[in-house]
Amino acid sequence: MTRTFISMAKTGGQGKTLTAQMLVLQHEQKGVPVKLAAADSDSLNQRSKFGRLFRNVKELGIGEDLTKVKSSTDPNLAIKYWDEFGRTVLEGGYIIDVGANVAAELFAWAEARNAGSLLRRRNSPPIDLVVTTKAESQAIEDARGLIQYSFDKNEWMPIGRRYVVLNEVSGGFGAYENDPNFKRLKAYQGMGVHIVTMKRCESDIWTLLERELISVREALKMTEVDLEKRFGIDVWTGHGGLTDLKSWADETLSSFEKVGLVPVRDSGHLDSGVEAVGAGCS
């Protein structure tokens, strides 16, 4: 029985889908089967970014339409919408990419449904929370708030392990070492929260991957000839870009592994999670 990983951020643009991508690649490299889901959507085609990067992504959407909720005679319609998320975590073995506009709703659903009681009774696979943040003051505070919220709601949404990914795409976190919010975020390490750094990828083909919505996993299976034929880029640019991408991916997954952010086959008992103590990190 394998764990479920929820990749989440309180605000958009933090790199939580990239973190989810790396978890997919990690599972593949380790030969651990995994299913994919997304609680997010794109306004153009109602597909999540995760769903456009990978096939067979279970699209959970972003919640019941407000007009339907208001016109419905069922007062629990909005809550029932997220029962599919509940079935997903009950089944286990998923990587779930959760949009910034959905995080609070999922915790609210869990509390309304008293989800923790059923998940524990059914011995559902453990759930790990992975929160990603860039080196920005508000983003750091939002990540801290989300971690605290997960502790506050742990009775209803039992989290086995918690991780914070420091995404250096916009720069390092050195300038925030004395920032009170960053200090409070790091203080959660004393409560079992693991913090890992994800460096910026400097590959020449990175902007191409983002523009064409090519996953890191797919790109690493390509050759410089594939890139040359498909996109018309210089063969040496493709060769150097793939070399740098592989090096970055290896370093990132190695960092994940050092803090225990790896797929683990479990005996089937749901982790009780670490209970929050006091308000020292709030």
Side-chain angles (χ1 to χ4, degrees):
M1 190 173 294
T2 55
R3 310 176 77 91
T4 285
F5 293 85
I6 298 179
S7 182
M8 187 180 285
K10 191 176 179 181
T11 48
Q14 300 305 309
K16 51 94 181 169
T17 301
L18 176 57
T19 295
Q21 278 195 66
M22 300 312 292
L23 291 172
V24 174
L25 176 62
Q26 182 187 60
H27 277 71
E28 180 176 88
Q29 289 185 353
K30 291 185 175 295
V32 179
V34 70
K35 295 159 287 189
L36 309 182
D40 199 357
S41 70
D42 176 75
S43 59
L44 294 177
N45 54 20
Q46 298 304 304
R47 289 177 65 205
S48 64
K49 181 179 180 182
F50 204 43
R52 287 175 284 160
L53 285 165
F54 297 101
R55 296 177 181 175
N56 302 318
V57 173
K58 182 179 186 179
E59 296 285 359
L60 299 171
I62 57 173
E64 188 58 88
D65 185 84
L66 185 59
T67 57
K68 291 182 181 178
V69 173
K70 287 184 175 180
S71 62
S72 174
T73 57
D74 184 352
N76 293 319
L77 183 62
I79 296 171
K80 288 179 178 178
Y81 179 91
W82 288 116
D83 284 350
E84 186 59 35
F85 169 79
R87 286 186 283 271
T88 301
V89 294
L90 194 60
E91 180 183 343
Y94 275 88
I95 294 171
I96 310 176
D97 187 41
V98 174
N101 54 342
V102 174
E105 289 190 44
L106 293 183
F107 281 106
W109 165 85
E111 184 170 0
R113 283 300 202 204
N114 189 18
S117 175
L118 181 61
L119 291 169
R120 292 185 179 95
R121 192 165 68 248
R122 292 290 187 91
N123 283 328
S124 66
I127 302 169
D128 293 341
L129 176 65
V130 189
V131 176
T132 303
T133 179
K134 293 195 295 190
E136 300 168 349
S137 184
Q138 187 58 55
I140 291 169
E141 167 57 16
D142 287 341
R144 184 211 63 79
L146 189 52
I147 289 292
Q148 181 60 47
Y149 198 56
S150 76
F151 277 117
D152 294 341
K153 302 297 183 180
N154 196 73
E155 178 182 349
W156 300 287
M157 178 79 81
I159 302 297
R161 306 181 299 186
R162 293 171 174 83
Y163 299 89
V164 175
V165 176
L166 303 179
N167 182 8
E168 292 189 335
V169 64
S170 300
F173 286 76
Y176 292 91
E177 286 299 330
N178 295 317
D179 182 89
N181 290 330
F182 193 46
K183 287 183 176 180
R184 285 195 288 268
L185 180 61
K186 291 197 296 182
Y188 282 104
Q189 292 176 102
M191 297 166 63
V193 177
H194 304 277
I195 296 181
V196 58
T197 298
M198 181 165 63
K199 294 183 179 179
R200 175 188 175 92
C201 183
E202 302 290 351
S203 170
D204 285 339
I205 63 172
W206 187 260
T207 54
L208 176 65
L209 302 185
E210 290 194 318
R211 186 180 74 236
E212 301 294 330
L213 279 174
I214 299 172
S215 70
V216 174
R217 184 184 69 172
E218 180 186 349
L220 290 175
K221 295 177 179 178
M222 301 174 77
T223 67
E224 61 272 4
V225 176
D226 294 329
L227 291 169
E228 184 182 25
K229 290 181 177 178
R230 184 170 172 180
F231 303 109
I233 65 173
D234 178 75
V235 66
W236 287 106
T237 300
H239 173 71
L242 287 172
T243 300
D244 291 342
L245 181 66
K246 184 180 186 305
S247 177
W248 172 83
D250 288 345
E251 182 177 4
T252 298
L253 294 185
S254 176
S255 297
F256 282 13
E257 188 144 0
K258 285 178 182 177
V259 297
L261 182 50
V262 291
V264 178
R265 293 185 181 275
D266 286 271
S267 61
H269 296 286
L270 181 67
D271 292 7
S272 60
V274 182
E275 296 297 332
V277 288
C281 295
S282 60

